[in-house]
Short mmCIF file of all heavy atoms in Angstrom, two decimals:
data_model
loop_
_atom_site.label_atom_id
_atom_site.label_comp_id
_atom_site.label_asym_id
_atom_site.label_seq_id
_atom_site.Cartn_x
_atom_site.Cartn_y
_atom_site.Cartn_z
N VAL A 18 113.14 -107.98 -83.52
CA VAL A 18 112.14 -108.71 -84.38
C VAL A 18 111.20 -109.50 -83.42
O VAL A 18 110.04 -109.50 -83.59
CB VAL A 18 112.87 -109.66 -85.33
CG1 VAL A 18 111.90 -110.63 -85.95
CG2 VAL A 18 113.59 -108.87 -86.31
N LEU A 21 108.83 -107.17 -81.81
CA LEU A 21 107.82 -106.65 -82.79
C LEU A 21 106.66 -107.69 -83.00
O LEU A 21 105.54 -107.38 -83.00
CB LEU A 21 108.51 -106.36 -84.07
CG LEU A 21 107.60 -105.76 -85.12
CD1 LEU A 21 107.18 -104.31 -84.78
CD2 LEU A 21 108.33 -105.74 -86.50
N LEU A 22 107.13 -109.03 -83.14
CA LEU A 22 106.14 -110.05 -83.42
C LEU A 22 105.37 -110.47 -82.23
O LEU A 22 104.19 -110.95 -82.29
CB LEU A 22 106.79 -111.24 -84.12
CG LEU A 22 107.50 -110.93 -85.42
CD1 LEU A 22 108.06 -112.25 -86.05
CD2 LEU A 22 106.48 -110.30 -86.35
N SER A 23 105.90 -110.42 -81.02
CA SER A 23 105.30 -110.97 -79.89
C SER A 23 104.47 -109.97 -79.06
O SER A 23 103.45 -110.37 -78.51
CB SER A 23 106.29 -111.67 -78.96
OG SER A 23 107.24 -110.68 -78.53
N ARG A 24 104.86 -108.70 -79.06
CA ARG A 24 104.14 -107.72 -78.35
C ARG A 24 102.89 -107.34 -79.04
O ARG A 24 102.70 -107.23 -80.23
CB ARG A 24 105.05 -106.44 -78.18
CG ARG A 24 106.06 -106.61 -77.08
CD ARG A 24 105.45 -106.57 -75.73
NE ARG A 24 106.43 -106.75 -74.79
CZ ARG A 24 106.28 -106.55 -73.42
NH1 ARG A 24 105.02 -106.34 -73.01
NH2 ARG A 24 107.28 -106.74 -72.55
N ARG A 25 101.76 -107.13 -78.26
CA ARG A 25 100.56 -106.69 -78.87
C ARG A 25 100.30 -105.17 -78.67
O ARG A 25 99.56 -104.60 -79.46
CB ARG A 25 99.35 -107.47 -78.29
CG ARG A 25 99.34 -108.85 -78.82
CD ARG A 25 98.28 -109.71 -78.12
NE ARG A 25 96.94 -109.25 -78.38
CZ ARG A 25 95.87 -109.86 -77.88
NH1 ARG A 25 95.98 -110.84 -77.08
NH2 ARG A 25 94.77 -109.32 -78.16
N MET A 30 105.61 -102.12 -79.74
CA MET A 30 106.06 -102.58 -81.10
C MET A 30 106.94 -101.41 -81.67
O MET A 30 107.96 -101.71 -82.34
CB MET A 30 104.89 -102.74 -82.00
CG MET A 30 104.13 -104.09 -81.69
SD MET A 30 102.58 -104.15 -82.53
CE MET A 30 103.16 -104.40 -84.20
N ALA A 91 97.32 -103.81 -80.89
CA ALA A 91 97.51 -103.80 -82.43
C ALA A 91 96.54 -104.74 -83.11
O ALA A 91 96.15 -104.47 -84.22
CB ALA A 91 98.91 -104.20 -82.74
N ASP A 92 96.22 -105.83 -82.45
CA ASP A 92 95.22 -106.77 -83.11
C ASP A 92 93.86 -106.28 -83.25
O ASP A 92 93.00 -106.82 -83.99
CB ASP A 92 95.25 -108.16 -82.33
CG ASP A 92 96.58 -108.83 -82.60
OD1 ASP A 92 97.48 -108.34 -83.37
OD2 ASP A 92 96.83 -109.92 -82.05
N PHE A 94 93.14 -103.37 -84.36
CA PHE A 94 93.07 -102.55 -85.54
C PHE A 94 93.03 -103.35 -86.80
O PHE A 94 93.98 -103.36 -87.55
CB PHE A 94 94.14 -101.48 -85.64
CG PHE A 94 94.46 -100.83 -84.33
CD1 PHE A 94 95.76 -100.67 -83.92
CD2 PHE A 94 93.49 -100.36 -83.48
CE1 PHE A 94 96.09 -100.02 -82.78
CE2 PHE A 94 93.76 -99.75 -82.32
CZ PHE A 94 95.10 -99.57 -81.91
N SER A 95 92.00 -104.14 -87.02
CA SER A 95 92.00 -105.05 -88.26
C SER A 95 90.85 -104.62 -89.22
O SER A 95 90.26 -105.52 -89.81
CB SER A 95 91.95 -106.50 -87.83
OG SER A 95 90.70 -106.68 -87.09
N MET A 97 91.20 -103.28 -92.08
CA MET A 97 91.52 -103.44 -93.45
C MET A 97 91.65 -104.90 -93.86
O MET A 97 92.33 -105.23 -94.80
CB MET A 97 92.92 -102.81 -93.69
CG MET A 97 93.00 -101.35 -93.23
SD MET A 97 92.51 -100.28 -94.56
CE MET A 97 94.02 -100.28 -95.53
N ARG A 98 90.86 -105.75 -93.26
CA ARG A 98 90.92 -107.19 -93.53
C ARG A 98 90.44 -107.39 -95.01
O ARG A 98 89.52 -106.76 -95.46
CB ARG A 98 89.97 -108.01 -92.66
CG ARG A 98 90.14 -109.49 -92.73
CD ARG A 98 89.35 -110.14 -91.67
NE ARG A 98 88.06 -109.55 -91.44
CZ ARG A 98 87.69 -108.97 -90.22
NH1 ARG A 98 88.53 -108.99 -89.22
NH2 ARG A 98 86.56 -108.50 -90.11
N GLY A 99 91.29 -108.20 -95.77
CA GLY A 99 91.06 -108.30 -97.17
C GLY A 99 89.81 -109.08 -97.58
O GLY A 99 89.27 -109.85 -96.80
N SER B 602 93.70 -113.31 -101.21
CA SER B 602 93.17 -112.21 -100.41
C SER B 602 93.02 -112.63 -98.91
O SER B 602 92.76 -111.82 -98.09
CB SER B 602 91.88 -111.70 -100.97
OG SER B 602 90.82 -112.64 -100.81
N HIS B 603 93.08 -113.99 -98.64
CA HIS B 603 93.01 -114.43 -97.31
C HIS B 603 94.18 -113.98 -96.51
O HIS B 603 94.08 -113.89 -95.26
CB HIS B 603 92.92 -115.99 -97.28
CG HIS B 603 91.61 -116.54 -97.73
ND1 HIS B 603 90.41 -116.10 -97.04
CD2 HIS B 603 91.24 -117.29 -98.66
CE1 HIS B 603 89.42 -116.67 -97.69
NE2 HIS B 603 89.84 -117.43 -98.66
N GLN B 605 95.38 -111.17 -96.48
CA GLN B 605 95.20 -109.79 -96.08
C GLN B 605 94.31 -109.73 -94.81
O GLN B 605 93.16 -109.49 -94.87
CB GLN B 605 94.57 -108.95 -97.19
CG GLN B 605 95.36 -108.89 -98.41
CD GLN B 605 96.61 -107.97 -98.28
OE1 GLN B 605 96.45 -106.83 -97.83
NE2 GLN B 605 97.73 -108.41 -98.70
N THR B 606 94.87 -110.04 -93.65
CA THR B 606 94.11 -110.16 -92.41
C THR B 606 93.81 -108.86 -91.85
O THR B 606 92.93 -108.78 -90.91
CB THR B 606 94.82 -111.05 -91.38
OG1 THR B 606 96.13 -110.43 -91.22
CG2 THR B 606 95.07 -112.45 -91.92
N GLY B 607 94.54 -107.82 -92.04
CA GLY B 607 94.42 -106.55 -91.35
C GLY B 607 95.20 -106.51 -90.10
O GLY B 607 95.29 -105.40 -89.44
N HIS B 608 95.91 -107.58 -89.71
CA HIS B 608 96.68 -107.53 -88.43
C HIS B 608 98.12 -107.11 -88.88
O HIS B 608 98.82 -107.71 -89.64
CB HIS B 608 96.82 -108.92 -87.82
CG HIS B 608 95.41 -109.35 -87.27
ND1 HIS B 608 94.94 -108.82 -86.13
CD2 HIS B 608 94.56 -110.29 -87.68
CE1 HIS B 608 93.79 -109.29 -85.89
NE2 HIS B 608 93.56 -110.29 -86.85
N VAL B 609 98.55 -106.01 -88.17
CA VAL B 609 99.85 -105.44 -88.60
C VAL B 609 101.06 -106.37 -88.28
O VAL B 609 102.01 -106.45 -88.95
CB VAL B 609 99.99 -103.99 -88.00
CG1 VAL B 609 100.23 -104.05 -86.52
CG2 VAL B 609 101.16 -103.27 -88.73
N ARG B 610 100.85 -107.15 -87.17
CA ARG B 610 101.92 -108.08 -86.73
C ARG B 610 102.10 -109.23 -87.76
O ARG B 610 103.11 -109.79 -87.93
CB ARG B 610 101.55 -108.66 -85.32
CG ARG B 610 101.53 -107.53 -84.29
CD ARG B 610 101.59 -108.11 -82.92
NE ARG B 610 100.47 -109.02 -82.70
CZ ARG B 610 100.58 -110.12 -81.92
NH1 ARG B 610 101.71 -110.30 -81.29
NH2 ARG B 610 99.55 -110.99 -81.86
N TRP B 611 100.92 -109.64 -88.29
CA TRP B 611 101.01 -110.70 -89.32
C TRP B 611 101.79 -110.18 -90.54
O TRP B 611 102.63 -110.97 -91.04
CB TRP B 611 99.52 -111.06 -89.71
CG TRP B 611 99.40 -111.86 -90.99
CD1 TRP B 611 98.97 -111.37 -92.19
CD2 TRP B 611 99.64 -113.22 -91.16
NE1 TRP B 611 98.98 -112.36 -93.12
CE2 TRP B 611 99.34 -113.52 -92.51
CE3 TRP B 611 100.09 -114.30 -90.29
CZ2 TRP B 611 99.50 -114.91 -92.96
CZ3 TRP B 611 100.19 -115.58 -90.79
CH2 TRP B 611 99.93 -115.81 -92.14
N TYR B 612 101.57 -108.98 -90.89
CA TYR B 612 102.30 -108.41 -92.02
C TYR B 612 103.84 -108.40 -91.69
O TYR B 612 104.66 -108.77 -92.51
CB TYR B 612 101.90 -107.04 -92.33
CG TYR B 612 100.41 -106.92 -92.83
CD1 TYR B 612 99.68 -105.75 -92.72
CD2 TYR B 612 99.81 -108.04 -93.41
CE1 TYR B 612 98.39 -105.67 -93.18
CE2 TYR B 612 98.55 -108.01 -93.82
CZ TYR B 612 97.82 -106.79 -93.75
OH TYR B 612 96.51 -106.79 -94.16
N ALA B 613 104.08 -107.90 -90.47
CA ALA B 613 105.54 -107.84 -90.06
C ALA B 613 106.13 -109.22 -90.08
O ALA B 613 107.30 -109.41 -90.60
CB ALA B 613 105.66 -107.29 -88.67
N ALA B 614 105.37 -110.19 -89.67
CA ALA B 614 105.91 -111.59 -89.65
C ALA B 614 106.17 -112.04 -91.07
O ALA B 614 107.24 -112.62 -91.32
CB ALA B 614 104.89 -112.48 -88.94
N THR B 615 105.28 -111.76 -92.07
CA THR B 615 105.54 -112.15 -93.42
C THR B 615 106.75 -111.52 -94.01
O THR B 615 107.56 -112.19 -94.70
CB THR B 615 104.32 -111.90 -94.34
OG1 THR B 615 103.97 -110.49 -94.16
CG2 THR B 615 103.10 -112.73 -93.96
N VAL B 617 109.38 -110.62 -92.27
CA VAL B 617 110.55 -111.26 -91.72
C VAL B 617 110.83 -112.58 -92.38
O VAL B 617 111.90 -112.84 -92.81
CB VAL B 617 110.28 -111.49 -90.17
CG1 VAL B 617 111.35 -112.36 -89.59
CG2 VAL B 617 110.29 -110.14 -89.49
#
Side-chain angles (χ1 to χ4, degrees):
Chain A
V18 169
L21 182 71
L22 296 184
S23 59
R24 284 286 181 175
R25 286 172 66 178
M30 287 169 73
D92 287 359
F94 317 136
S95 57
M97 304 272 281
R98 188 169 46 238
Chain B
S602 71
H603 287 302
Q605 301 285 313
T606 56
H608 292 289
V609 72
R610 296 192 307 148
W611 166 256
Y612 296 157
T615 54
V617 169

